[in-house]
Amino acid sequence: MKKQIKNSLTRKVNGKRHLTLTGRKAVTGLKFISPLLIGLLFFFGVPLIQSFIFSVGEIKTNSTGYTIDYIGFANYKNIFFKHASFIPTFVRTLKDVVWNVPLILIFSFFVSVLLNQKFKGRMLARALFFLPVVINCGIILKIENISYMETALFHSGAEGTAMSNMLGGVQLSEYLMKLGIADSLISYLTEALAQVYSIINASGVQILILIAALQTIPESLFEASSIEGATAWENFWKITFPMVSPYILVTTVYTIIDSFLRVDNSQNMSALIDTTVDNMNYGLAASMAWIYFIAIGAILGIVAFVISRYVAYTD
Amino acid sequence: MKKIDGYALKRRLGGIGIFIMRTVFLLGIGFYILYPLFLKVMAAFMSEADIYDATVSVVPKTITFDNFKTVFETMNFPAAFANTLFLSAMVMIFQIISSMLVGYGFGKFDFPCKNLLFVLGIFTLIVPPQIIIFPLYLNYVNFDIFGIFTAINGEKLSFINTYWPFVFSSLFCTGTQGMMFVYMFRQYFRGVPKEIEEAARVDGAGEFKTFIRIMMPSATSVTVCVAVLSFVWQWNDIFWTSRYLRGTELLSVNLYSLTTDVTSKIGASNINLAYESILNSTGAVMVILPLVLAYLFVQKGFIQSVERSGIVG
């Protein structure tokens, strides 16, 4: 068994410490990533620590800066026991995420398999699916939610975000009612329709990643397996799926992060934290953000851990 | 007599079946994706009367350009457009440079705590921006590195309403999704064979020269991908711009305050929900239009870059 000789970074020569080649390469590497180091330290680490300090205090801003009264974990206690909308919003966001993430993943996977095949108009289809990535972010997404266009146009009396009245969701429900279908089923269906829209919107980057992942699978594997007589179903589960599994992990992590931080829903956590900030209750907002963050981190950690046990690494 | 080959027939029918299914599926999804955009464009041409007209559901009866005029003036479109273009382009360039450098460092070098640093970087993606926005804002309002500015000027510097916060965030990989770009570049550079590096070395190139002469030109596909994404995300960004650049003319900021601006111009009695939605739709169309046009030109290269870049190795 060959023993790994550890490359040291420095070497003593005639009593003086010199860098070895490995050492010099390491220094160059550090030079290359220096922007990140500066960024992590000053523009991320420091604000992060500050934000934690804020979360255990009450902030009052004045003309020259701010003052902090340290009130310990009162902010956190407030959130859990007194604040009216934090827990419900939080639970609702969690439910949304748990519901949406698998759907987004399945949808993206399905679409990427579809878009990976050769057919006429493939470029057009791909351009179509990436369009939401380009268009539906930031301000446009915010506008979507405060726009009552569909409500106005389709003369619906119902409330809700633009999505839930989308695309004849209104006509559909009226039609279904005429058919005599139960009310609860109708509302479920229209909800599902609205969800479809947000799922499609949220899938752009995932489709991108998964298409690239699918293209790493060598064609020869499929050829060999079809010679051996494998069906398409077996091909999928024995070749495609395992080979893509590392990227499914990446995509899952990205999807979870993305769906937590999207500004889709006006009742979402982001909106809640934003309004708290606008109300100048920075300490409270900071503690909300921290709780939110810890929750996201915990969920991510668990999911990543569970999935990575099933990932088949080929390198 | 020619025997009808059952297998060939089955394949043919199956092929047609798949074709139909696929086309239906794509058309359906395409409809979902394009419909809101379509609705916005139609709404931009509508007059207010069309909203109340029961016979109008999507296509306006009276085509009017008034909405465009109103939005154009209220949003101060030329100035906002120029500023947004400048800001997005600057952020894009800086992000490309910094993420390429950092990605190369992570991809090709070994140094102590390398994995830890990378994980810390990914950490920045997980943390909700709401956590750090307030401290960052405070830091920028009273910007003072180790008391230098106070010593010189007698008062602290404020970077609010300047582009500096964005310079810092893009140059130091701390912007929105900045680490994602680093990750892309790292994956790409990991896939570049070592032989190329060694050949360059043999030819006498130092590390930096290798980077500039060889690595950078070869990474065009990833660069295109990063460029498109960072430009678009910055163009549409409302989270950071509404906090750092509130007084500046920017497309996203102006669009956000569009309805309030118009209300203050024409009086609260003349505005209602329907007209607001028309305004918002028009504004959204005008903001997205440059992006869509650019996207049409770039999409071929962009999508091909995904295939070729080995983003995922």
Side-chain angles (χ1 to χ4, degrees):
Chain A
M1 275 276 249
K2 253 209 219 155
K3 193 165 139 192
Q4 278 271 358
I5 304 176
K6 193 151 183 234
N7 273 328
S8 72
L9 295 174
T10 56
R11 186 211 328 263
K12 225 176 181 147
V13 174
N14 294 339
K16 276 192 2 187
R17 278 249 155 226
H18 285 291
L19 286 174
T20 56
L21 178 62
T22 334
R24 266 180 282 144
K25 286 201 126 175
V27 169
T28 323
L30 281 172
K31 280 195 222 164
F32 269 109
I33 67 165
S34 50
L36 180 66
L37 293 176
I38 300 178
L40 273 183
L41 193 58
F42 289 117
F43 297 100
F44 184 72
V46 166
L48 200 65
I49 298 177
Q50 280 179 314
S51 129
F52 184 70
I53 296 179
F54 287 166
S55 72
V56 289
E58 209 176 299
I59 317 291
K60 293 185 191 40
T61 51
N62 51 38
S63 49
T64 55
Y66 56 91
T67 54
I68 312 184
D69 295 322
Y70 289 101
I71 54 177
F73 285 99
N75 273 331
Y76 291 95
K77 285 203 204 113
N78 180 351
I79 290 176
F80 279 114
F81 299 120
K82 276 198 267 170
H83 199 267
S85 44
F86 184 86
I87 299 278
T89 319
F90 188 63
V91 171
R92 193 182 318 139
T93 313
L94 270 182
K95 267 198 332 200
D96 278 341
V97 167
V98 167
W99 178 247
N100 279 339
V101 167
L103 289 178
I104 294 178
L105 285 175
I106 297 174
F107 177 74
S108 319
F109 194 71
F110 181 63
V111 169
S112 60
V113 167
L114 184 67
L115 291 183
N116 199 33
Q117 298 167 348
K118 296 185 182 39
F119 59 91
K120 253 194 273 184
R122 176 169 80 161
M123 283 311 268
L124 191 64
R126 288 190 183 179
L128 189 67
F129 276 95
F130 298 155
L131 198 60
V133 176
V134 169
I135 289 184
N136 285 339
C137 48
I139 179 70
I140 306 297
L141 213 50
K142 254 203 166 124
I143 293 286
E144 283 275 319
N145 284 309
I146 63 182
S147 158
Y148 293 93
M149 207 61 234
E150 289 79 16
T151 326
L153 278 181
F154 295 111
H155 307 288
S156 143
E159 266 187 23
T161 66
M163 293 320 121
S164 55
N165 285 322
M166 160 90 190
L167 185 52
V170 172
Q171 274 103 329
L172 182 65
S173 58
E174 285 169 2
Y175 182 65
L176 287 176
M177 269 195 281
K178 284 204 195 111
L179 284 182
I181 301 187
D183 268 346
S184 55
L185 189 58
I186 294 179
S187 61
Y188 178 73
L189 281 177
T190 39
E191 268 289 314
L193 273 184
Q195 294 283 58
V196 171
Y197 178 70
S198 61
I199 288 175
I200 296 177
N201 249 344
S203 306
V205 177
Q206 286 84 330
I207 298 179
L208 217 123
I209 299 180
L210 284 175
I211 290 185
L214 282 172
Q215 295 188 326
T216 61
I217 307 178
E219 192 65 31
S220 47
L221 280 178
F222 289 110
E223 289 171 9
S225 75
S226 48
I227 292 179
E228 302 280 339
T231 63
W233 183 254
E234 284 171 357
N235 266 347
F236 181 77
W237 285 107
K238 300 274 171 154
I239 301 183
T240 318
F241 205 69
M243 297 241 13
V244 171
S245 49
Y247 308 112
I248 294 186
L249 175 62
V250 170
T251 321
T252 315
V253 168
Y254 180 78
T255 313
I256 294 180
I257 298 176
D258 192 45
S259 44
F260 267 118
L261 299 184
R262 271 177 99 78
V263 288
D264 254 67
N265 200 336
S266 59
Q267 291 122 339
N268 196 326
M269 285 297 301
S270 322
L272 183 62
I273 300 183
D274 285 344
T275 41
T276 322
V277 169
D278 290 336
N279 287 336
M280 309 257 249
N281 204 338
Y282 302 116
L284 194 62
S287 39
M288 278 188 190
W290 270 96
I291 294 185
Y292 195 46
F293 161 56
I294 293 177
I296 299 179
I299 295 181
L300 258 181
I302 298 175
V303 170
F305 182 68
V306 168
I307 294 189
S308 53
R309 316 201 66 206
Y310 291 98
V311 165
Y313 280 111
T314 50
D315 50 33
Chain B
M1 209 154 73
K2 215 174 180 188
K3 200 166 163 210
I4 299 177
D5 191 334
Y7 182 66
L9 185 64
K10 205 164 154 201
R11 281 210 83 152
R12 192 73 204 274
L13 283 179
I16 295 182
I18 291 187
F19 174 73
I20 293 180
M21 277 203 303
R22 175 170 59 215
T23 322
V24 166
F25 180 71
L26 287 178
L27 281 180
I29 305 283
F31 189 59
Y32 256 103
I33 294 180
L34 292 177
Y35 181 72
L37 195 57
F38 178 69
L39 201 62
K40 285 202 181 72
V41 173
M42 288 293 122
F45 288 109
M46 279 189 198
S47 64
E48 210 179 318
D50 281 325
I51 303 249
Y52 301 119
D53 193 341
T55 59
V56 172
S57 68
V58 173
V59 181
K61 247 187 186 162
T62 51
I63 301 203
T64 166
F65 287 97
D66 283 339
N67 303 321
F68 285 104
K69 256 193 273 170
T70 323
V71 171
F72 192 85
E73 284 162 6
T74 322
M75 267 176 61
N76 201 349
F77 200 79
F81 181 77
N83 283 341
T84 316
L85 187 63
F86 175 73
L87 180 63
S88 308
M90 179 184 77
V91 165
M92 171 183 88
I93 294 177
F94 284 159
Q95 273 195 315
I96 293 178
I97 295 177
S98 65
S99 47
M100 205 191 284
L101 283 170
V102 177
Y104 182 63
F106 276 119
K108 280 292 178 199
F109 293 93
D110 267 320
F111 40 85
C113 307
K114 174 167 115 155
N115 283 328
L116 176 68
L117 284 173
F118 191 71
V119 169
L120 277 182
I122 299 295
F123 203 58
T124 65
L125 289 178
I126 304 179
V127 166
Q130 286 88 357
I131 285 194
I132 52 174
I133 178 65
F134 185 56
L136 266 182
Y137 181 85
L138 285 181
N139 285 346
Y140 283 134
V141 166
N142 302 310
F143 199 74
D144 201 7
I145 310 184
F146 308 122
I148 301 182
F149 289 122
T150 350
I152 301 179
N153 266 344
E155 66 171 19
K156 297 187 185 169
L157 205 59
S158 168
F159 279 147
I160 302 298
N161 268 325
T162 67
Y163 290 136
W164 281 103
F166 291 98
V167 171
F168 291 137
S169 67
S170 52
L171 218 38
F172 297 124
C173 304
T174 50
T176 346
Q177 316 280 43
M179 274 310 287
M180 191 167 106
F181 303 137
V182 171
Y183 180 77
M184 284 190 201
F185 273 114
R186 180 185 93 134
Q187 291 299 101
Y188 173 75
F189 283 126
R190 255 172 141 188
V192 173
K194 215 164 182 324
E195 283 74 26
I196 296 186
E197 260 182 287
E198 291 169 359
R201 200 74 248 261
V202 165
D203 284 339
E207 296 290 358
F208 204 58
K209 216 169 199 162
T210 322
F211 177 68
I212 294 195
R213 284 294 184 78
I214 300 180
M215 297 298 176
M216 240 173 61
S218 80
T220 36
S221 37
V222 188
T223 315
V224 167
C225 201
V226 168
V228 169
L229 288 177
S230 74
F231 187 82
V232 167
W233 284 338
Q234 184 54 49
W235 184 277
N236 277 335
D237 170 51
I238 188 65
F239 183 79
W240 301 103
T241 46
S242 67
R243 281 161 180 93
Y244 291 149
L245 291 171
R246 184 146 265 177
T248 321
E249 304 278 11
L250 275 179
L251 283 180
S252 48
V253 175
N254 287 0
L255 179 57
Y256 193 49
S257 61
L258 181 63
T259 45
T260 31
D261 288 341
V262 173
T263 315
S264 54
K265 252 173 127 188
I266 66 174
S269 55
N270 284 334
I271 202 123
N272 54 44
L273 218 53
Y275 189 53
E276 272 187 20
S277 1
I278 291 187
L279 284 176
N280 276 333
S281 301
T282 319
V285 168
M286 290 176 78
V287 168
I288 312 179
L289 193 62
L291 285 184
V292 172
L293 289 176
Y295 180 69
L296 289 178
F297 281 121
V298 172
Q299 52 102 335
K300 193 150 194 215
F302 174 51
I303 295 171
Q304 277 173 351
S305 81
V306 171
E307 301 173 28
R308 256 188 271 120
S309 70
I311 288 178
V312 283

